[in-house]
Amino acid sequence: MAKFLGAGGLTPLQAVWVRMAGAAILLIVLLAVLKPKALRVPPGKRGFFAAYALIAVAGVQALFFLAITRLPVGVVLLLEYTAPVLVVFWVRFVRHVRLPRSAYAGAVIVLVGLAVVVEIWQGMSLDGIGLILGLVAAACCAGYFLMSDGFGGDVDPLGLIVWGLAGAAVVLLPLSQAWDIPWAAFGTSVTLGGNTIPMAVAALWLIAIATVLAYVTGVSAVRRLSAAVGATVASLEVVMGAVIAWILLREHLGVAQIAGGAIVLAGALLAQTATSGVSRTIEEEAAQRVGSPGASTALSRSFARTATAPAADDDA
Protein backbone atom coordinates (compact mmCIF):
# COMPACT_ATOMS: atom_id res chain seq x y z
CA MET A 1 0.00 0.00 0.00
CA ALA A 2 2.91 2.35 0.73
CA LYS A 3 4.22 1.84 -2.78
CA PHE A 4 0.81 2.80 -4.20
CA LEU A 5 0.96 6.04 -2.20
CA GLY A 6 4.45 6.64 -3.53
CA ALA A 7 3.30 6.11 -7.08
CA GLY A 8 0.53 8.62 -6.41
CA GLY A 9 3.00 11.41 -5.63
CA LEU A 10 3.85 11.06 -1.91
CA THR A 11 7.45 10.76 -0.79
CA PRO A 12 8.29 7.76 1.43
CA LEU A 13 8.40 9.93 4.57
CA GLN A 14 5.10 11.59 3.65
CA ALA A 15 3.52 8.14 3.35
CA VAL A 16 4.92 7.27 6.78
CA TRP A 17 3.55 10.51 8.24
CA VAL A 18 0.06 9.87 6.82
CA ARG A 19 0.18 6.41 8.33
CA MET A 20 1.42 7.50 11.77
CA ALA A 21 -0.85 10.55 12.09
CA GLY A 22 -3.91 8.76 10.75
CA ALA A 23 -3.43 5.74 13.01
CA ALA A 24 -2.77 7.94 16.06
CA ILE A 25 -5.95 9.94 15.51
CA LEU A 26 -8.03 6.80 14.96
CA LEU A 27 -6.64 5.08 18.07
CA ILE A 28 -7.01 8.18 20.25
CA VAL A 29 -10.68 8.42 19.29
CA LEU A 30 -11.27 4.70 19.90
CA LEU A 31 -9.51 4.69 23.27
CA ALA A 32 -11.16 7.93 24.39
CA VAL A 33 -14.52 6.21 23.90
CA LEU A 34 -13.73 2.63 24.91
CA LYS A 35 -10.77 2.83 27.32
CA PRO A 36 -9.89 6.41 28.33
CA LYS A 37 -7.59 5.30 31.18
CA ALA A 38 -5.21 3.81 28.60
CA LEU A 39 -4.37 7.32 27.39
CA ARG A 40 -2.80 8.28 30.73
CA VAL A 41 1.00 8.59 30.72
CA PRO A 42 2.31 7.42 34.14
CA PRO A 43 4.51 9.88 36.05
CA GLY A 44 8.18 9.43 35.29
CA LYS A 45 7.53 7.56 32.05
CA ARG A 46 7.51 10.49 29.63
CA GLY A 47 11.13 9.97 28.62
CA PHE A 48 10.48 6.30 27.94
CA PHE A 49 7.39 7.13 25.86
CA ALA A 50 9.42 9.68 23.87
CA ALA A 51 12.25 7.20 23.21
CA TYR A 52 9.72 4.57 22.20
CA ALA A 53 8.13 6.98 19.71
CA LEU A 54 11.51 7.98 18.26
CA ILE A 55 13.18 4.56 17.97
CA ALA A 56 10.52 1.86 18.09
CA VAL A 57 7.99 3.64 15.88
CA ALA A 58 9.42 6.56 13.87
CA GLY A 59 12.80 4.90 13.26
CA VAL A 60 11.40 1.54 12.23
CA GLN A 61 8.65 2.93 10.01
CA ALA A 62 10.61 5.69 8.29
CA LEU A 63 13.62 3.50 7.51
CA PHE A 64 11.41 0.67 6.29
CA PHE A 65 9.49 2.93 3.93
CA LEU A 66 12.72 4.40 2.58
CA ALA A 67 14.16 0.91 2.09
CA ILE A 68 11.21 -0.39 0.06
CA THR A 69 11.77 2.38 -2.48
CA ARG A 70 15.07 0.69 -3.34
CA LEU A 71 14.40 -2.99 -2.59
CA PRO A 72 11.52 -5.47 -2.96
CA VAL A 73 9.15 -5.58 0.01
CA GLY A 74 10.03 -9.23 0.74
CA VAL A 75 13.76 -8.50 0.94
CA VAL A 76 13.27 -5.53 3.30
CA LEU A 77 11.06 -7.67 5.55
CA LEU A 78 13.83 -10.28 5.66
CA LEU A 79 16.33 -7.62 6.68
CA GLU A 80 14.06 -6.42 9.46
CA TYR A 81 13.53 -9.98 10.62
CA THR A 82 17.16 -10.06 11.73
CA ALA A 83 16.08 -7.93 14.71
CA PRO A 84 15.59 -10.93 17.03
CA VAL A 85 19.17 -11.98 16.28
CA LEU A 86 20.41 -8.52 17.24
CA VAL A 87 18.51 -8.92 20.49
CA VAL A 88 20.32 -12.22 21.08
CA PHE A 89 23.71 -10.51 20.77
CA TRP A 90 22.59 -7.62 23.00
CA VAL A 91 21.42 -9.98 25.74
CA ARG A 92 24.65 -11.98 25.60
CA PHE A 93 27.28 -9.25 25.30
CA VAL A 94 25.60 -6.28 27.01
CA ARG A 95 23.47 -8.00 29.64
CA HIS A 96 25.96 -10.86 30.00
CA VAL A 97 23.27 -13.55 30.01
CA ARG A 98 24.50 -16.99 28.93
CA LEU A 99 22.50 -18.44 26.05
CA PRO A 100 22.35 -21.94 24.52
CA ARG A 101 24.62 -22.67 21.56
CA SER A 102 21.54 -23.04 19.39
CA ALA A 103 20.91 -19.29 19.83
CA TYR A 104 24.27 -18.49 18.26
CA ALA A 105 23.77 -21.16 15.62
CA GLY A 106 20.52 -19.46 14.68
CA ALA A 107 22.29 -16.12 14.40
CA VAL A 108 24.95 -17.59 12.09
CA ILE A 109 22.27 -19.24 9.96
CA VAL A 110 20.52 -15.87 9.60
CA LEU A 111 23.73 -14.24 8.38
CA VAL A 112 24.25 -17.05 5.86
CA GLY A 113 20.68 -16.64 4.67
CA LEU A 114 21.13 -12.89 4.22
CA ALA A 115 24.31 -13.52 2.22
CA VAL A 116 22.26 -15.73 -0.10
CA VAL A 117 19.46 -13.15 -0.34
CA VAL A 118 21.83 -10.38 -1.45
CA GLU A 119 23.76 -12.82 -3.68
CA ILE A 120 27.05 -11.81 -2.11
CA TRP A 121 28.98 -14.04 -4.55
CA GLN A 122 27.97 -11.58 -7.27
CA GLY A 123 29.19 -8.58 -5.31
CA MET A 124 25.76 -7.93 -3.75
CA SER A 125 23.39 -7.45 -6.67
CA LEU A 126 20.87 -5.59 -4.48
CA ASP A 127 20.94 -1.83 -3.86
CA GLY A 128 23.59 -1.04 -1.22
CA ILE A 129 21.81 1.97 0.28
CA GLY A 130 18.60 -0.04 0.48
CA LEU A 131 20.45 -2.79 2.37
CA ILE A 132 21.87 -0.28 4.86
CA LEU A 133 18.46 1.29 5.43
CA GLY A 134 16.92 -2.14 5.99
CA LEU A 135 19.59 -3.18 8.49
CA VAL A 136 19.34 0.09 10.46
CA ALA A 137 15.57 -0.44 10.52
CA ALA A 138 16.27 -3.89 11.98
CA ALA A 139 18.42 -2.25 14.69
CA CYS A 140 15.53 0.09 15.56
CA CYS A 141 13.22 -2.92 15.59
CA ALA A 142 15.59 -4.64 18.03
CA GLY A 143 15.39 -1.48 20.11
CA TYR A 144 11.63 -1.97 20.19
CA PHE A 145 12.09 -5.44 21.70
CA LEU A 146 14.65 -4.27 24.23
CA MET A 147 12.56 -1.28 25.29
CA SER A 148 9.87 -3.75 26.27
CA ASP A 149 11.92 -4.06 29.47
CA GLY A 150 10.59 -0.63 30.39
CA PHE A 151 7.03 -1.86 30.58
CA GLY A 152 5.59 -1.73 34.05
CA GLY A 153 2.23 -2.50 35.53
CA ASP A 154 1.38 1.18 35.33
CA VAL A 155 1.82 1.32 31.53
CA ASP A 156 -1.07 0.31 29.31
CA PRO A 157 0.33 -1.23 26.09
CA LEU A 158 -2.41 0.39 24.01
CA GLY A 159 -1.58 3.77 25.50
CA LEU A 160 2.09 3.27 24.70
CA ILE A 161 1.20 2.40 21.12
CA VAL A 162 -1.06 5.39 20.57
CA TRP A 163 1.39 7.90 22.03
CA GLY A 164 4.23 6.20 20.17
CA LEU A 165 2.34 6.73 16.92
CA ALA A 166 1.46 10.32 17.81
CA GLY A 167 5.03 11.07 18.86
CA ALA A 168 6.35 9.57 15.65
CA ALA A 169 4.01 11.80 13.64
CA VAL A 170 5.38 14.85 15.49
CA VAL A 171 9.01 13.79 14.95
CA LEU A 172 8.43 13.11 11.25
CA LEU A 173 6.43 16.29 10.59
CA PRO A 174 9.40 18.49 9.62
CA LEU A 175 11.36 15.61 8.05
CA SER A 176 8.48 14.57 5.82
CA GLN A 177 7.42 18.14 5.05
CA ALA A 178 3.85 17.00 5.53
CA TRP A 179 2.59 20.46 4.60
CA ASP A 180 3.58 19.67 0.99
CA ILE A 181 1.55 16.46 0.78
CA PRO A 182 -0.48 16.49 -2.48
CA TRP A 183 -3.83 15.90 -0.77
CA ALA A 184 -5.66 16.09 -4.12
CA ALA A 185 -3.91 12.85 -5.10
CA PHE A 186 -6.12 10.93 -2.64
CA GLY A 187 -9.01 11.50 -5.03
CA THR A 188 -7.20 9.63 -7.80
CA SER A 189 -6.30 5.99 -8.52
CA VAL A 190 -2.89 4.44 -9.07
CA THR A 191 -1.85 1.45 -11.17
CA LEU A 192 1.08 -0.76 -10.18
CA GLY A 193 1.86 -4.25 -11.41
CA GLY A 194 -1.29 -4.20 -13.50
CA ASN A 195 -3.51 -3.49 -10.47
CA THR A 196 -5.40 -0.24 -9.98
CA ILE A 197 -6.27 0.95 -6.46
CA PRO A 198 -7.80 4.29 -5.37
CA MET A 199 -5.27 6.31 -3.37
CA ALA A 200 -7.82 6.84 -0.59
CA VAL A 201 -8.34 3.07 -0.25
CA ALA A 202 -4.57 2.47 -0.08
CA ALA A 203 -4.23 5.13 2.65
CA LEU A 204 -7.16 3.81 4.69
CA TRP A 205 -5.84 0.25 4.44
CA LEU A 206 -2.39 1.40 5.53
CA ILE A 207 -3.85 3.25 8.53
CA ALA A 208 -6.66 0.99 9.72
CA ILE A 209 -5.46 -2.49 8.78
CA ALA A 210 -1.67 -2.39 8.50
CA THR A 211 -1.23 -0.16 11.55
CA VAL A 212 -4.13 0.02 14.01
CA LEU A 213 -5.40 -3.54 13.60
CA ALA A 214 -1.85 -4.91 13.38
CA TYR A 215 -0.67 -3.22 16.58
CA VAL A 216 -3.83 -3.99 18.59
CA THR A 217 -3.93 -7.66 17.59
CA GLY A 218 -0.19 -7.92 18.20
CA VAL A 219 -0.58 -6.65 21.75
CA SER A 220 -3.43 -9.10 22.33
CA ALA A 221 -1.50 -12.01 20.84
CA VAL A 222 1.62 -11.51 22.94
CA ARG A 223 -0.43 -12.04 26.11
CA ARG A 224 -1.69 -15.40 24.86
CA LEU A 225 1.25 -16.95 23.01
CA SER A 226 4.68 -18.06 24.12
CA ALA A 227 7.66 -16.42 22.45
CA ALA A 228 8.41 -19.59 20.48
CA VAL A 229 4.86 -19.86 19.13
CA GLY A 230 4.72 -16.12 18.57
CA ALA A 231 7.95 -16.23 16.58
CA THR A 232 6.53 -18.93 14.35
CA VAL A 233 3.41 -16.88 13.70
CA ALA A 234 5.42 -13.68 13.17
CA SER A 235 7.54 -15.38 10.54
CA LEU A 236 4.45 -15.65 8.36
CA GLU A 237 4.65 -11.88 7.87
CA VAL A 238 7.73 -12.23 5.70
CA VAL A 239 6.13 -14.91 3.56
CA MET A 240 2.79 -13.12 3.23
CA GLY A 241 4.47 -9.77 2.57
CA ALA A 242 6.50 -11.27 -0.27
CA VAL A 243 3.48 -13.10 -1.71
CA ILE A 244 1.21 -10.04 -1.60
CA ALA A 245 3.93 -7.85 -3.14
CA TRP A 246 4.36 -10.50 -5.82
CA ILE A 247 0.61 -10.39 -6.61
CA LEU A 248 -0.06 -6.65 -6.31
CA LEU A 249 3.28 -5.18 -7.37
CA ARG A 250 4.70 -7.95 -9.56
CA GLU A 251 7.85 -7.95 -7.42
CA HIS A 252 9.14 -11.36 -8.44
CA LEU A 253 11.79 -12.73 -6.11
CA GLY A 254 14.58 -14.81 -7.58
CA VAL A 255 15.57 -18.31 -6.54
CA ALA A 256 18.35 -16.89 -4.33
CA GLN A 257 15.92 -14.56 -2.52
CA ILE A 258 13.42 -17.37 -1.88
CA ALA A 259 16.07 -19.86 -0.74
CA GLY A 260 17.88 -17.26 1.36
CA GLY A 261 14.59 -16.14 2.87
CA ALA A 262 13.82 -19.68 4.02
CA ILE A 263 17.29 -19.89 5.61
CA VAL A 264 16.83 -16.52 7.37
CA LEU A 265 13.47 -17.57 8.81
CA ALA A 266 14.86 -20.91 10.00
CA GLY A 267 17.79 -19.23 11.74
CA ALA A 268 15.65 -16.53 13.35
CA LEU A 269 13.19 -19.11 14.66
CA LEU A 270 16.04 -21.23 16.05
CA ALA A 271 17.54 -18.22 17.83
CA GLN A 272 14.20 -17.08 19.21
CA THR A 273 13.22 -20.55 20.40
CA ALA A 274 16.54 -20.92 22.22
CA THR A 275 16.31 -17.53 23.92
CA SER A 276 12.67 -18.02 24.84
CA GLY A 277 13.69 -21.23 26.60
CA VAL A 278 16.20 -19.22 28.66
CA SER A 279 13.57 -16.60 29.49
CA ARG A 280 11.16 -19.29 30.71
CA THR A 281 13.88 -20.74 32.97
CA ILE A 282 14.63 -17.28 34.42
CA GLU A 283 10.94 -16.67 34.94
CA GLU A 284 10.49 -19.97 36.77
CA GLU A 285 13.50 -19.27 39.02
CA ALA A 286 12.19 -15.80 39.82
CA ALA A 287 8.78 -17.23 40.63
CA GLN A 288 10.35 -19.75 43.00
CA ARG A 289 12.34 -17.02 44.77
CA VAL A 290 9.31 -14.85 45.46
CA GLY A 291 6.86 -17.71 45.85
CA SER A 292 4.58 -16.42 43.11
CA PRO A 293 3.85 -18.40 39.93
CA GLY A 294 3.15 -15.15 38.10
CA ALA A 295 6.51 -13.53 38.76
CA SER A 296 8.53 -12.49 35.73
CA THR A 297 11.77 -10.68 35.02
CA ALA A 298 12.39 -7.91 32.51
CA LEU A 299 14.29 -10.36 30.32
CA SER A 300 11.42 -12.83 30.12
CA ARG A 301 9.00 -9.98 29.36
CA SER A 302 11.33 -8.75 26.64
CA PHE A 303 11.39 -12.04 24.80
CA ALA A 304 7.71 -12.64 25.40
CA ARG A 305 7.03 -9.45 23.50
CA THR A 306 9.11 -10.51 20.50
CA ALA A 307 5.93 -12.17 19.27
CA THR A 308 4.67 -8.73 18.20
CA ALA A 309 7.51 -7.88 15.82
CA PRO A 310 6.52 -4.32 14.55
CA ALA A 311 7.89 -3.85 11.40
CA ALA A 312 6.92 -6.89 10.50
CA ASP A 313 3.32 -6.13 12.18
CA ASP A 314 2.97 -3.07 10.57
CA ASP A 315 5.51 -2.52 7.98
CA ALA A 316 4.24 -4.10 4.82
Side-chain angles (χ1 to χ4, degrees):
M1 294 301 108
K3 287 204 169 185
F4 278 97
L5 293 187
L10 275 69
T11 68
L13 290 180
Q14 287 174 340
V16 176
W17 188 85
V18 168
R19 182 188 188 191
M20 300 294 96
I25 292 172
L26 181 56
L27 267 179
I28 287 173
V29 172
L30 289 176
L31 290 179
V33 174
L34 302 175
K35 195 177 181 182
K37 290 184 178 180
L39 296 173
R40 186 181 69 87
V41 178
K45 295 284 187 176
R46 292 179 181 176
F48 174 75
F49 272 63
Y52 183 89
L54 179 62
I55 298 173
V57 183
V60 173
Q61 304 300 331
L63 291 166
F64 177 88
F65 275 48
L66 289 170
I68 64 173
T69 65
R70 311 182 73 98
L71 295 173
V73 171
V75 172
V76 180
L77 282 171
L78 285 171
L79 292 174
E80 277 212 39
Y81 206 70
T82 62
V85 175
L86 298 179
V87 174
V88 168
F89 285 113
W90 179 277
V91 170
R92 177 62 186 93
F93 296 107
V94 177
R95 292 181 176 170
H96 306 293
V97 175
R98 291 185 176 277
L99 298 173
R101 291 182 179 178
S102 55
Y104 306 114
V108 172
I109 291 173
V110 167
L111 295 177
V112 172
L114 284 176
V116 175
V117 169
V118 303
E119 299 182 52
I120 196 168
W121 57 86
Q122 295 183 5
M124 289 177 53
S125 61
L126 296 179
D127 183 272
I129 295 177
L131 288 173
I132 293 173
L133 291 171
L135 290 173
V136 178
C140 289
C141 190
Y144 162 81
F145 296 145
L146 294 167
M147 289 174 68
S148 294
D149 287 351
F151 271 99
D154 57 344
V155 175
D156 189 298
L158 291 176
L160 181 61
I161 289 172
V162 70
W163 293 125
L165 292 169
V170 172
V171 170
L172 294 173
L173 180 61
L175 297 177
S176 65
Q177 297 182 333
W179 50 83
D180 288 333
I181 291 177
W183 297 105
F186 290 97
T188 64
S189 295
V190 175
T191 299
L192 279 179
N195 295 290
T196 301
I197 296 179
M199 281 277 286
V201 172
L204 288 174
W205 186 280
L206 196 62
I207 291 169
I209 306 298
T211 307
V212 173
L213 182 61
Y215 270 111
V216 171
T217 53
V219 169
S220 300
V222 76
R223 295 184 175 185
R224 292 170 172 78
L225 300 174
S226 68
V229 175
T232 303
V233 176
S235 69
L236 296 177
E237 177 191 2
V238 181
V239 178
M240 293 305 299
V243 170
I244 293 173
W246 198 322
I247 295 172
L248 289 182
L249 306 176
R250 297 295 188 268
E251 290 187 347
H252 297 278
L253 299 181
V255 175
Q257 278 72 54
I258 295 174
I263 296 173
V264 168
L265 293 179
L269 291 175
L270 177 60
Q272 282 188 309
T273 301
T275 50
S276 66
V278 172
S279 69
R280 282 196 298 272
T281 300
I282 294 176
E283 183 175 0
E284 291 170 359
E285 291 176 352
Q288 292 175 357
R289 284 197 298 270
V290 299
S292 170
S296 172
T297 65
L299 176 61
S300 63
R301 287 197 305 272
S302 176
F303 282 109
R305 286 186 175 86
T306 59
T308 59
D313 323 314
D314 29 349
D315 290 335

